[in-house]
Amino acid sequence: MTTPVPPPPTAAPAAPAGPDAAADPVAPPRDFPIRRGCPFAAPAQYGVMRADDPVARVTLPTRREAWAVTRYDDVRELLSDPRVSADIRRPNFPALGEGEQEAGARFRPFIRTDAPEHTKYRRMLLPVFTVRRVRAMRPAVQERVDEILDGMLAAGGPVDFVSAYANAVSTSVICELLGVPRKNLEFFRDVTRVSGSRRSTAEQVSEALGGLFALLAELVAERRADPRDDLISKLVTDHLATGNVTTDQLLSTLGITINAGRETTTSMIALSTLLLLDRPELMEELRRDTALMPSAVDELLRVLSVADSIPLRVAAEDIELSGRTVPAGDGVIALLAGANHDPERFDDPERVDFHRTDNHHVAFGYGVHQCIGQQLARLELEVALETLIRRVPTLRLAGDRDQVAFKHDSATFGLEELMVTW
């Protein structure tokens, strides 16, 4: 599939390296991204930045410079400011991978667009992800989770938990919602592994997404001829057939729905399980009182913040945050883990507290680009974790804890592999 690259929107010329030094001293840029020391907390440097340099200049792997924002109030203000653009075609878009911007400009994922384009795609998907519709999915999700766990237990340990359970759950649920056959769950994981890696070239990302879009194009053609009770059929009938979107636009929307819908949830299921294995008193607390699960999931979302640097933006006009002016045309990164570990907003933010009240975290982002599938993600996490805790009380690591491999070079933080047994 060849998708023409539209011309970039009119944007302000690239800004200097920072504001006028005499009026607003700026520390030398830090290298970014910053690795986590503890997988269950934000990088320690975020705390230093939040206290001393909350709107900090950073140098990205592309050698482009941008601003990184770490305070809770600033992150929410930034992500709700209409003067800030999410359009990936803007010259100083703070892409964190070499191939990210080029591939994004070609395939146009709607999360990297602005209104009215972003609004149109969001409205297409919104009816499927309402609280009421998601609640009605619980029995089906529970049935699928039990089926996956049955298969894992029957196969016996040790097993890679990420592949056998976390990825199987998240990918199956989103695929069944859309109407995508779940013949090869690892295929979707492989697509995201390449397209979400900061080390992938534009050619590698395009090849991975091209394979996904080829599969989706076949399904779209099938649903045009024979609609079914699934999301692809609904989008084809209501939006493709009516001319509201083109085939390429529909494929891009379906592709990002699958990638985003499965990757963050896979990471959350796996990383949450590792945290509970590391801290068995928390596991026991949930086993004793399953009614805690919804609040526990929100607390795990806050603490782990696996989508930390997903909100990438460009200032379309000069904006001020914490007394510092970010010039028009500069890239800005809203660090969700920084906001979710801000002690000005969360008491003792490093503590995992399933009884925490007023937990208004920003793990799903904030503003008009806030994750549209967050209710489904919560449901999957609640069911996947509750079922695992209830049915596999002897779950444990199979191997050296120090050898657990983390995804430090991916758009979403998580685990490469987690070997477990029971």
Side-chain angles (χ1 to χ4, degrees):
M1 180 189 67
T2 301
T3 304
V5 179
T10 304
D20 178 52
D24 185 11
V26 178
R30 297 169 167 81
D31 286 339
F32 190 89
I34 301 170
R35 285 198 170 197
R36 301 186 184 203
C38 170
F40 313 133
Q45 281 195 47
Y46 284 13
V48 177
M49 293 162 64
R50 195 187 302 110
D52 302 333
D53 196 13
V55 185
R57 202 69 176 162
V58 294
T59 301
L60 310 178
T62 59
R63 309 317 301 165
R64 186 174 286 171
E65 290 189 3
W67 302 90
V69 180
T70 47
R71 286 180 178 168
Y72 179 88
D73 288 343
D74 287 343
V75 165
R76 298 218 330 174
E77 182 177 343
L78 176 70
L79 295 180
S80 59
D81 194 324
R83 299 171 298 170
V84 176
S85 171
D87 196 321
I88 198 169
R89 298 171 299 173
R90 287 186 177 268
N92 280 342
F93 185 84
L96 299 178
E98 290 291 344
E100 179 182 355
Q101 187 170 22
E102 184 177 338
R106 177 184 176 191
F107 293 111
R108 302 290 289 135
F110 77 90
I111 64 170
R112 300 301 190 201
T113 63
D114 294 329
E117 186 177 5
H118 171 263
T119 308
K120 178 175 76 170
Y121 295 123
R122 192 174 180 91
R123 285 176 177 167
M124 285 168 49
L125 296 171
L126 193 59
V128 183
F129 294 105
T130 62
V131 173
R132 182 181 62 83
R133 289 289 299 272
V134 169
R135 282 177 180 165
M137 293 174 62
R138 182 176 284 270
V141 171
Q142 182 67 67
E143 181 179 358
R144 182 64 186 132
V145 168
D146 280 325
E147 180 185 339
I148 290 168
L149 190 54
D150 287 343
M152 187 180 88
L153 296 176
V159 65
D160 174 19
F161 181 83
V162 179
S163 176
Y165 192 71
N167 179 62
V169 169
S170 65
T171 307
S172 293
V173 170
I174 195 66
C175 283
E176 288 174 13
L177 176 66
L178 268 70
V180 176
R182 45 182 173 88
K183 298 176 183 176
N184 182 3
L185 299 181
E186 287 299 306
F187 165 77
F188 300 100
R189 188 180 175 200
D190 290 340
V191 169
T192 311
R193 184 181 284 118
V194 175
S195 62
S197 172
R198 293 167 182 152
R199 298 181 181 274
S200 295
T201 64
E203 292 75 18
Q204 290 169 327
V205 174
S206 294
E207 182 180 358
L209 293 177
L212 174 61
F213 289 177
L215 168 65
L216 293 173
E218 292 180 9
L219 297 174
V220 167
E222 290 176 6
R223 298 307 193 271
R224 290 194 82 155
D226 182 21
R228 303 179 190 176
D229 183 20
D230 56 40
L231 180 55
I232 292 181
S233 296
K234 181 172 179 55
L235 294 178
V236 167
T237 302
D238 294 352
H239 298 282
L240 181 61
T242 61
N244 187 42
V245 296
T246 66
T247 298
D248 285 350
Q249 290 170 338
L250 178 57
L251 295 179
S252 177
T253 302
L254 293 171
I256 190 61
T257 301
I258 291 175
N259 271 0
R262 55 152 303 282
E263 177 65 6
T264 52
T265 309
T266 295
S267 294
M268 276 300 305
I269 293 172
L271 201 56
S272 296
T273 300
L274 179 62
L275 185 151
L276 294 173
L277 290 174
D278 274 7
R279 304 178 188 180
E281 72 281 3
L282 294 176
M283 180 93 79
E284 184 57 32
E285 185 177 14
L286 291 177
R287 187 174 288 116
R288 288 195 312 265
D289 185 1
T290 57
L292 278 176
M293 190 57 72
S295 62
V297 163
D298 263 319
E299 179 69 343
L300 291 167
L301 285 163
R302 181 193 70 81
V303 169
L304 300 178
S305 295
V306 298
D308 176 32
S309 55
I310 294 292
L312 307 174
R313 302 289 188 267
V314 175
E317 301 178 22
D318 288 1
I319 58 173
E320 185 173 308
L321 297 166
S322 284
R324 172 154 290 163
T325 299
V326 175
D330 274 17
V332 197
I333 305 171
L335 296 176
L336 303 183
N340 284 336
H341 288 260
D342 186 343
E344 292 296 317
R345 182 62 184 81
F346 301 99
D347 181 47
D348 194 6
E350 306 307 312
R351 176 170 50 90
V352 182
D353 181 3
F354 295 157
H355 301 271
R356 191 181 294 274
T357 58
D358 194 29
N359 191 357
H360 296 296
H361 60 75
V362 291
F364 291 111
Y366 191 72
V368 296
H369 282 77
Q370 189 172 13
C371 176
I372 196 171
Q374 61 180 284
Q375 300 303 330
L376 180 58
R378 284 187 170 95
L379 171 62
E380 291 179 63
L381 286 165
E382 288 178 23
V383 175
L385 294 176
E386 187 280 328
T387 304
L388 187 72
I389 291 169
R390 171 172 46 84
R391 292 189 54 191
V392 197
T394 59
L395 187 74
R396 64 186 186 278
L397 293 182
D400 191 340
R401 171 66 175 78
D402 294 337
Q403 298 304 309
V404 174
F406 298 95
K407 298 195 304 180
H408 289 287
D409 294 316
S410 173
T412 302
F413 182 71
L415 298 170
E416 293 285 0
E417 182 181 81
L418 182 65
M419 299 304 296
V420 299
T421 191
W422 48 90

